Amino acid sequence: SYVLTQPPSVSVAPGQTAKITCGGNNLGSYSVHWYQQKPGQAPVLVISDDSTRASGIPKRFSGSYSGSTATLTISRVEAGDEADYYCQVWVGGGVFGGGTKLTVL
Amino acid sequence: EAHLVESGGGLVQPGGSLRLSCAASGFDFNRFAMSWVRQAPGKGLEWVSSISARGGGTDYADSVQGRFTISRDNSKNAVYLQMKSLRADDTALYYCAKYNLGDEGGDAFNIWGQGTMVTVSS
């Protein structure tokens, strides 16, 4: 089965830039979606199809792809961005990465 | 505004059955494929099943294939998940999720419910 690999955690100071990566075999062949999940809440779509910001998502959030790695970039990080972030693709069914906990120092 | 509300979760013994429901509102339900996604306590997200907009196409994760059945009733704006032969590792919060653009494969989930908890334990 297909595997998406994310770092378990990323830490960043307020105002800095956070980069969360998502790797997978031949990932460029698939559209990557990103979700934010805060504690006790349902996931929220942040980025669809590699780089399209979802409705209501600030421009500080962007998605990109290079090689076999997709990246969610959060510029000018705020305390409210602290959450778990998941990447997702469709390969023989829905596949989610293991999630990355973003800590704002 | 699009809204999803799950119900039907609860405590069930191993080997038992449960039927989850998801009530949709605020969008043209019969234009969009729907999915169930679950999250075990303290763990990540796991896709469970999807159903096409008209219900003619379904798909399942290997972990639930043959035990779970997804269905929908477009006249009631509802999607269901019938779960049988439940196991301890099916314990999770089950979310209902709407496809972003319609009925196309590869789509994102742009609307999620708050989830309904299923606990499988004796």
Side-chain angles (χ1 to χ4, degrees):
Chain A
S1 60
Y2 193 79
V3 175
L4 289 173
T5 301
Q6 297 183 236
S9 63
V10 167
S11 299
V12 64
Q16 299 303 304
T17 297
K19 290 184 180 292
I20 298 173
T21 59
C22 175
N25 186 35
N26 201 25
L27 188 58
S29 298
Y30 313 108
S31 291
V32 180
H33 314 304
W34 290 94
Y35 303 88
Q36 175 194 68
Q37 186 180 33
K38 296 181 179 180
Q41 298 184 20
V44 171
L45 178 64
V46 176
I47 297 288
S48 64
D49 299 314
D50 300 337
S51 59
T52 302
R53 251 187 329 274
S55 176
I57 300 301
K59 292 182 179 179
R60 301 185 295 105
F61 289 78
S62 63
S64 62
Y65 173 81
S66 179
S68 290
T69 301
T71 302
L72 174 67
T73 300
I74 309 171
S75 304
R76 302 180 299 283
V77 167
E78 303 173 356
D81 298 331
E82 191 162 280
D84 293 326
Y85 291 84
Y86 295 90
C87 58
Q88 181 247 324
V89 296
W90 288 93
V91 181
V95 179
F96 286 93
T100 298
K101 181 176 181 57
L102 175 67
T103 299
V104 181
L105 301 171
Chain B
E1 181 181 353
H3 198 51
L4 299 172
V5 178
E6 303 93 337
S7 61
L11 175 63
V12 60
Q13 292 188 339
S17 299
L18 212 55
R19 188 196 195 208
L20 306 183
S21 299
C22 171
S25 61
F27 63 97
D28 196 355
F29 183 73
N30 61 13
R31 283 190 51 235
F32 292 89
M34 299 291 294
S35 281
W36 288 95
V37 177
R38 67 185 181 183
Q39 186 169 35
K43 303 297 184 182
L45 301 172
E46 179 188 17
W47 170 79
V48 173
S49 181
S50 291
I51 187 166
S52 62
R54 296 193 175 189
T58 59
D59 200 7
Y60 299 93
D62 289 345
S63 58
V64 306
Q65 180 77 48
R67 300 187 299 122
F68 290 11
T69 302
I70 191 171
S71 62
R72 65 190 293 160
D73 186 338
N74 285 355
S75 69
K76 296 181 178 179
N77 285 4
V79 62
Y80 308 99
L81 187 67
Q82 177 68 52
M83 305 184 295
K84 298 180 179 179
S85 303
L86 283 162
R87 312 184 301 223
D89 62 0
D90 293 318
T91 294
L93 185 62
Y94 284 73
Y95 292 104
C96 175
K98 167 189 168 292
Y99 277 40
N100 185 27
L101 300 177
D103 203 21
E104 295 294 323
D107 203 358
F109 304 122
N110 73 323
I111 301 294
W112 297 65
Q114 286 304 305
T116 186
M117 186 68 199
V118 173
T119 302
V120 184
S121 175
S122 55

